[in-house]
Amino acid sequence: MERIPARRSVAVRVARGQRVEVVNTHGQQVVDTWAFATGDPAEWMSMEHSRVHMGRLSPRVGDSLVTNRRRAILTLVEDTSGGVHDTLLAACDRYRYQLLGATEPHDNCTDNLHAALAAEGIALAATPSPLNLFEHTALAADGALAIEPPVATPGSHVTLGAEMDALLVFSACPQDLVPTNGAGLTPTDAHYRLVR
Amino acid sequence: MERIPARRSVAVRVARGQRVEVVNTHGQQVVDTWAFATGDPAEWMSMEHSRVHMGRLSPRVGDSLVTNRRRAILTLVEDTSGGVHDTLLAACDRYRYQLLGATEPHDNCTDNLHAALAAEGIALAATPSPLNLFEHTALAADGALAIEPPVATPGSHVTLGAEMDALLVFSACPQDLVPTNGAGLTPTDAHYRLVR
């Protein structure tokens, strides 16, 4: 098992056909997830294109997420976490924490993404909206959204299958001002491993 | 009244405090809408940031949409259309029509956006997810999404207030293969005017 350090990100290269297991080690940690086509990082996994493709808000086992060119890039092949994930909310960023009252610089998933990409020699002019694994966005009948603690249990996981060669970035979300990462407001490590 | 030609786009510059009325002239036409901060087109209206800011899927009268830097850019100040708009679905693009079976090039909102920006001297490396005015995305309790004909009536409108100097792009969606623009599958003109 490889570590996704609390508040930090990792980049993982996968080949088509490989699978990655993402483990919610402590059970309340959201993992912001991005995927980019190898060789052309301007082709990325897109939540707005994936919702059209899936015909639903959020992936279920068997659903594929697609890129901004509508090609399958990842498939959710297994999910022991309760199946609650978010495709609606932007990655946290410096502006989010400023608006929440932070007066000091705060770790954030947007900077984590760009740091992980920079380490791979990639500069990206935009921040794609992430697949927020394990994030529990409660949706009321009138369309109101609320961020709730994850339903995932410790050690539960999702398995993502690569539909093309891709660069993945996982960020263990540093959110500690709202209950994205549980009522305890305490970001923790998560883990991943290449299954095959 | 200025025309937004069927299947085409227009760019409109607005100053902070100005209002733009967007009219669904024939009642079944979706208008994909983008907004960019004047002077820095890398700051754009973002649906994923706006959902966090609004705490809801779609704007109601009084709600502001924010940029990818979480600054208010547009406010929905009036809505006589029935209040049904979409923030979930990507703009249509060449890939969408290919997947729907089109064998010839098809007008699409993504190319319309970039053409309108190019005419303003702006090249953008990404396609922000649009505010799909009048688009009726039905959402089932289990998260399933379906594209339904608009509920807007002929001549109904929304009024958008500019919270900063901005460049707006409106695209009268060319979708004629699924009922985005009504059961008749017939894209039509829409109109807009600067109210003040």
Side-chain angles (χ1 to χ4, degrees):
Chain A
M1 281 284 176
E2 302 291 329
R3 194 160 74 103
I4 308 169
R7 304 174 186 269
R8 292 285 181 269
S9 60
V10 297
V12 185
R13 292 197 177 271
V14 292
R16 179 177 175 182
Q18 280 193 308
R19 294 181 173 189
V20 187
E21 194 177 293
V22 183
V23 182
N24 203 327
T25 316
H26 301 285
Q28 296 278 287
Q29 180 59 47
V30 166
V31 179
D32 284 38
T33 299
W34 289 269
F36 302 86
T38 296
D40 185 2
E43 181 172 7
W44 58 64
M45 181 169 70
S46 163
M47 294 305 103
E48 56 267 28
H49 294 81
S50 294
R51 286 187 292 263
V52 176
H53 174 76
M54 299 185 299
R56 65 179 74 255
L57 280 183
S58 172
R60 292 182 179 176
V61 168
D63 284 340
S64 292
L65 297 123
V66 302
T67 69
N68 49 1
R69 294 176 201 162
R70 304 192 194 252
R71 300 197 302 153
I73 186 165
L74 291 178
T75 297
L76 181 59
V77 294
E78 192 179 30
D79 189 346
T80 71
S81 75
V84 175
H85 311 288
D86 172 78
T87 73
L88 297 172
L89 306 184
C92 62
D93 51 30
R94 68 186 71 182
Y95 312 106
R96 172 76 163 142
Y97 292 105
Q98 287 166 3
L99 289 167
L100 288 171
T103 54
E104 301 290 319
H106 195 290
D107 294 322
N108 63 81
C109 288
T110 297
D111 286 351
N112 282 353
L113 167 67
H114 291 285
L117 291 176
E120 299 283 324
I122 297 168
L124 209 68
T127 300
S129 203
L131 172 61
N132 296 308
L133 289 174
F134 314 116
E135 183 156 15
H136 182 190
T137 303
L139 178 60
D142 68 351
L145 301 171
I147 296 170
E148 301 281 355
V151 305
T153 50
S156 64
H157 70 272
V158 297
T159 305
L160 303 170
E163 302 293 345
M164 64 173 75
D165 296 352
L167 175 67
L168 310 184
V169 176
F170 299 116
S171 173
C173 178
Q175 180 58 263
D176 53 7
L177 300 174
V178 300
T180 303
N181 297 308
L185 307 178
T186 306
T188 59
D189 292 350
H191 290 80
Y192 75 93
R193 65 180 176 126
L194 289 176
V195 179
R196 63 175 192 194
Chain B
M1 281 283 177
E2 303 291 329
R3 195 161 72 103
I4 308 169
R7 304 174 184 269
R8 293 285 181 268
S9 59
V10 297
V12 185
R13 291 196 177 272
V14 292
R16 180 178 176 180
Q18 278 193 309
R19 294 181 174 190
V20 187
E21 193 177 293
V22 184
V23 182
N24 203 327
T25 315
H26 301 284
Q28 296 278 287
Q29 181 60 46
V30 166
V31 179
D32 284 37
T33 299
W34 289 269
F36 301 86
T38 296
D40 185 1
E43 181 172 7
W44 59 62
M45 180 170 70
S46 163
M47 294 304 104
E48 56 267 28
H49 294 82
S50 293
R51 286 188 292 263
V52 176
H53 174 77
M54 299 185 299
R56 66 178 75 253
L57 280 183
S58 172
R60 292 182 179 176
V61 168
D63 285 339
S64 291
L65 297 122
V66 301
T67 69
N68 49 1
R69 294 178 200 162
R70 303 192 194 253
R71 300 197 301 154
I73 186 165
L74 291 178
T75 296
L76 181 59
V77 294
E78 191 178 31
D79 189 347
T80 71
S81 74
V84 175
H85 310 288
D86 172 79
T87 73
L88 297 172
L89 306 184
C92 62
D93 51 31
R94 67 186 72 182
Y95 312 105
R96 172 74 165 144
Y97 292 105
Q98 287 166 2
L99 289 167
L100 288 171
T103 54
E104 301 289 320
H106 194 290
D107 294 321
N108 64 79
C109 288
T110 297
D111 287 351
N112 282 352
L113 167 67
H114 292 286
L117 291 176
E120 298 284 326
I122 296 168
L124 209 65
T127 301
S129 203
L131 172 61
N132 296 309
L133 290 174
F134 314 116
E135 182 156 16
H136 181 191
T137 303
L139 178 60
D142 69 351
L145 301 171
I147 296 169
E148 302 281 355
V151 305
T153 51
S156 63
H157 71 271
V158 298
T159 305
L160 304 170
E163 301 294 343
M164 64 173 76
D165 295 354
L167 174 66
L168 310 185
V169 176
F170 299 116
S171 173
C173 178
Q175 180 59 264
D176 53 8
L177 300 174
V178 300
T180 304
N181 297 308
L185 306 178
T186 306
T188 59
D189 292 350
H191 290 80
Y192 75 92
R193 65 180 175 127
L194 289 176
V195 179
R196 64 175 188 196

